Amino acid sequence: MSDSWLFLSDEETVVWEGTPRLSAAIGGIIAGTVIVGLCLVAAATIDPRLAVASIVGIGVVAWQVLQIRRTKYVVTTRAVWLKQGVLGKTVRRVGLAQVQNTAYSQSVTGSIFGYGTVSVEVAGGPDLAFRRIDDPETVRRTLTSRIGSDRAKIPGTVDQWREVLAIVRELKTAVE
């Protein structure tokens, strides 16, 4: 991936990436369109110079669309990433070892049109949400399958750890 905000270690690969649907900006698009319409009506009925105020409505629409287009969600083999921001940029990385739980939700329209939100509970920090993404159930399943994969890299075999447990139990009995 060529994005400079996403820095991956040598063995880390992208498992899933996505953005919110453009429909997440529908509220701002409607509000901006209403502002433009009111300004044009005011310009036609009161003073033609009021048409300049429609720039505010156009700005609201542009801001909402840019907010959606500049939001990125990424799941790698080691972490969950969230990047957002229009003028500035906020990047958040949460290691998979910090992920405690995942869930997904879909509204009625989300169920019909195939979008929803994946929530990620983070130990020791604020939770993450991948809002208005396509196929949230698959994304959640992909993320959940990655959780614990880093934890499986504990050195030694099961038999070696059983021997360690036996020694610790012997030491505990000797101390008591």
Side-chain angles (χ1 to χ4, degrees):
M1 183 170 273
S2 63
D3 291 327
S4 62
W5 63 272
L6 185 65
F7 50 93
L8 303 177
S9 65
D10 293 336
E11 299 173 2
E12 189 173 12
T13 59
V14 173
V15 177
W16 177 85
E17 63 183 310
T19 60
R21 284 184 164 202
L22 188 57
S23 64
I26 198 79
I29 293 171
I30 291 171
T33 304
V34 168
I35 291 170
V36 169
L38 291 174
C39 290
L40 294 177
V41 168
T45 58
I46 300 171
D47 186 354
R49 292 177 289 183
L50 291 174
V52 174
S54 64
I55 292 172
V56 172
I58 294 169
V60 168
V61 170
W63 185 264
Q64 289 294 309
V65 171
L66 280 173
Q67 254 185 331
I68 298 305
R69 289 294 168 222
R70 298 212 180 201
T71 299
K72 304 279 187 217
Y73 307 124
V74 178
V75 176
T76 70
T77 51
R78 294 191 178 171
V80 179
W81 295 78
L82 166 65
K83 181 197 73 94
Q84 57 191 22
V86 177
L87 298 177
K89 186 183 335 182
T90 301
V91 177
R92 182 153 179 233
R93 179 190 184 276
V94 175
L96 292 178
Q98 292 175 278
V99 175
Q100 290 188 322
N101 197 12
T102 61
Y104 81 95
S105 60
Q106 290 181 291
S107 63
V108 173
T109 55
S111 295
I112 293 169
F113 296 112
Y115 67 87
T117 298
V118 173
S119 302
V120 180
E121 291 181 18
V122 178
D127 296 344
L128 288 175
F130 292 177
R131 297 188 193 323
R132 286 244 186 190
I133 59 171
D134 291 325
D135 197 8
E137 183 177 6
T138 301
V139 174
R140 182 195 163 275
R141 196 175 311 121
T142 299
L143 178 57
T144 303
S145 71
R146 300 301 319 159
I147 296 172
S149 61
D150 280 351
R151 294 182 197 131
K153 296 180 182 179
I154 298 172
T157 64
V158 174
D159 290 334
Q160 290 171 328
W161 283 105
R162 285 188 179 131
E163 289 176 29
V164 170
L165 179 61
I167 293 169
V168 170
R169 286 182 176 156
E170 288 175 15
L171 288 171
K172 180 182 175 193
T173 305
V175 171
E176 291 175 345

